């Protein structure tokens, strides 16, 4: 509407609301729809607004440029300022498409302001969701990882969707009632393997947990994925422990060499190095181990347990490979940093000559089908073949992640004999 001095861009009807009972909420909503400099007309029948609105306008830097009596009501004219909420404006009219007409996928939310993933995030962004407009004056947070290249994987949203869809229950999704008694040597071997798997999964649980609170929430997809990673590992610890206890056996021996190897993972302070050592090398090798156990499992319950765990671990490996690929693409010189981390870990493990003997014996009994001499001989041959397969698959993963074949060969030979 035209007045003597300006044209209103929008009108808000406040009725008899006063400034303490909802009128200011309507005014803020009206101003949010305008560009700085445009004018909002506010129509009110409440007399107290004449005194209260000018003070609110001064505090919020929205000039009150006019007030015109009109019978039993007054028309106020508020010009939108540029100070109180900054120059940025929230998205409006950005609609994420549905997949198959019914699913809202995380991978599709990279539109508008939410889709703007910064190369460097400010620590003052705090816990404000990426895409929101943050009011100036927010406090500083002690996030240590504020650069995209330090954590990002290009397929992170797809991996998160797979993770949430793939959750399972260690109490109800395993056919525990089908578990049958085994000969004592075989049950002891299974229990020893389950003990070894569980202790390795503690490492895989704690390592990402160290970094979640350090990552700037502007990279929320990575944080969200790492929480599913931790949930997977907690479930694996649960299911491996239950299997050790469910058939008349129990948890067996933990070697000092295994604990030394796992501590070298826990001691990592750089996210990319930790992700590389844990997910690309460690969990990648672990996937081959789980496949081996599944192929030679003495009964269906153990096979089902490691099958489900292997699917989860494969997803973790995919994240590790995708992150390292992004990390090396951002700066090829980062390869040297990861190689040095592998050498440092190998130096700590110099005193460990080979596979944990207790685990090697258990795997040989499992793969050979028992403890008769010919069975042990077959089992040990199959374990040696497993080690060869692990080495070949590590090289393939490392090349996929961006290392040269020569670097991949070197890194694979450096990997700990603890598997993880």
């Amino acid at each position: 509407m035209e007045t003597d001095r300006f044209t209103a861009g929008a009108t808000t009807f406040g009725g008899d609301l006063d400034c303490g009972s909802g009128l200011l909420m309507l005014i803020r909503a009206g101003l949010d729809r305008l560009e700085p400099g445009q004018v909002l007309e506010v129509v009110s029948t409440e007399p107290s607004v004449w005194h209260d609105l000018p003070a609110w306008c001064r505090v919020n830097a929205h000039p009150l440029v006019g007030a015109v009596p009109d019978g039993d009501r007054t028309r106020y004219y508020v010009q939108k300022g540029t100070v109180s909420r900054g120059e940025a404006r929230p998205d409006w009219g950005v609609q994420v498409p549905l997949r198959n007409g019914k699913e809202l996928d995380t991978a599709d939310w990279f539109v508008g302001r939410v889709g703007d993933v910064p190369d460097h995030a400010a620590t003052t962004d705090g816990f404000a969701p990426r895409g929101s407009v943050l009011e100036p004056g927010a406090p500083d947070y002690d996030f240590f990882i504020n650069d995209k290249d330090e954590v990002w994987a290009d397929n992170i949203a797809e991996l998160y969707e797979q993770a949430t869809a793939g959750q399972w229950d260690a109490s109800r999704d395993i056919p525990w009632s089908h578990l049958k008694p085994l000969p004592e040597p075989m049950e002891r071997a299974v229990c020893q393997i389950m003990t070894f798997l569980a202790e390795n999964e503690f490492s895989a649980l704690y390592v990402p947990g160290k970094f979640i609170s350090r990552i700037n929430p502007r990279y929320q997809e990575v944080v969200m994925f790492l929480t599913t990673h931790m949930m997977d590992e907690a479930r694996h610890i649960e299911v491996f422990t239950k299997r050790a206890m469910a058939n008349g056996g129990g948890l067996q021996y933990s070697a000092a060499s295994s604990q030394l190897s796992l501590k070298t993972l826990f001691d990592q302070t750089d996210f990319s190095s930790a992700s590389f050592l844990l997910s690309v090398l460690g969990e990648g090798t672990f996937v081959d181990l789980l496949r081996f156990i599944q192929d030679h499992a003495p009964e269906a319950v153990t096979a089902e347990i490691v099958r489900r765990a292997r699917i989860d671990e494969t997803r973790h490996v995919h994240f590790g490979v995708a992150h390292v690929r992004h990390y090396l693409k951002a700066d090829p010189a980062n390869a040297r940093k990861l190689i040095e981390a592998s050498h440092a870990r190998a130096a700590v493990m110099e005193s460990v000559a080979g596979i944990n003997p207790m685990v090697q014996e258990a795997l040989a009994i499992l793969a050979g089908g028992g403890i008769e001499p010919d069975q042990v001989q077959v089992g040990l041959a199959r374990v040696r073949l497993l080690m060869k397969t692990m080495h070949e698959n590590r090289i393939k993963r490392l090349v996929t992640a961006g290392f040269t074949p020569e670097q991949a060969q070197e890194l694979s030979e450096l990997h700990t004999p603890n598997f993880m």
Side-chain angles (χ1 to χ4, degrees), residues 40-207:
L40 176 70
E41 179 186 48
V42 181
V43 181
S44 173
T45 61
E46 169 57 42
S48 65
V49 174
W50 183 271
H51 303 285
D52 296 338
L53 184 58
W56 180 87
C57 288
R58 286 193 300 273
V59 170
N60 289 275
H62 297 303
L64 181 63
V65 295
V68 180
D70 184 16
D72 62 348
R73 57 188 183 176
T74 301
R75 298 177 183 273
Y76 301 92
Y77 297 95
V78 180
Q79 186 178 50
K80 182 170 182 176
T82 59
V83 176
S84 63
R85 296 198 184 185
E87 296 182 1
R89 300 185 65 195
D91 283 336
W92 187 255
V94 177
Q95 186 171 6
V96 179
L98 299 182
R99 295 196 179 191
N100 305 317
K102 60 181 181 179
E103 297 177 4
L104 191 60
D105 200 287
T106 306
D108 297 327
W109 76 10
F110 290 94
V111 293
R113 292 175 58 86
V114 174
D116 183 15
V117 183
D119 292 331
H120 179 79
T123 53
T124 51
D125 289 338
F127 292 136
R130 191 180 69 235
S132 64
V133 176
L134 180 61
E135 182 181 9
D140 199 7
Y141 282 68
D142 291 331
F143 299 128
F144 297 102
I145 302 176
N146 300 294
D147 290 308
K148 180 180 179 181
D149 292 339
E150 293 183 38
V151 293
W152 198 251
D154 293 334
N155 61 343
I156 186 62
E158 290 86 351
L159 290 173
Y160 175 72
E161 286 287 344
Q162 293 170 17
T164 55
Q167 297 299 303
W168 50 278
D169 190 296
S171 295
R172 286 167 283 279
D173 291 331
I174 302 299
W176 294 109
S177 62
H178 295 176
L179 194 58
K180 304 298 183 183
L182 295 175
E184 182 178 329
M186 182 60 73
E187 183 62 32
R188 284 188 179 277
V190 171
C191 291
Q192 178 60 64
I193 291 168
M194 292 296 135
T195 303
F196 179 73
L197 296 180
E199 65 182 332
N200 278 270
E201 297 297 64
F202 269 109
S203 175
L205 169 67
Y206 273 73
V207 170

Side-chain angles (χ1 to χ4, degrees), residues 332-383:
N334 285 330
R336 179 47 50 189
K337 178 180 178 180
L338 300 183
I339 292 171
E340 289 173 355
S342 294
H343 275 282
R345 189 181 186 207
V348 175
M349 297 297 295
E350 281 183 340
S351 60
V352 180
I355 309 173
N356 176 345
M358 294 176 288
V359 175
Q360 183 177 30
E361 292 170 8
L363 290 173
I365 292 171
L366 190 76
I371 59 171
E372 295 298 324
D374 59 333
Q375 292 174 319
V376 172
Q377 187 175 15
V378 169
L380 288 173
R382 288 174 173 169
V383 172

Side-chain angles (χ1 to χ4, degrees), residues 278-289:
L278 173 66
S279 296
V280 179
L281 292 176
E283 290 180 304
T285 301
F286 215 60
V287 167
D288 291 331
L289 176 61

Side-chain angles (χ1 to χ4, degrees), residues 218-277:
R218 280 295 184 264
Y219 312 119
Q220 63 198 62
E221 294 84 0
V222 176
V223 175
M224 291 158 58
F225 177 79
L226 291 178
T227 61
T228 69
H229 183 145
M230 293 180 65
M231 186 63 213
D232 291 340
E233 304 302 359
R235 186 171 57 250
H236 296 174
I237 294 166
E238 174 192 355
V239 78
F240 295 150
T241 302
K242 285 179 175 177
R243 173 58 189 90
M245 301 174 66
N247 209 25
L251 291 165
Q252 300 297 297
Y253 299 99
S254 174
S257 60
S258 296
Q259 293 304 307
L260 176 63
S261 176
L262 298 178
K263 188 174 185 298
T264 62
L265 290 175
F266 184 70
D267 287 345
Q268 296 298 317
T269 58
D270 173 73
F271 178 81
S272 294
S273 297
S275 181
F276 169 65
L277 294 174

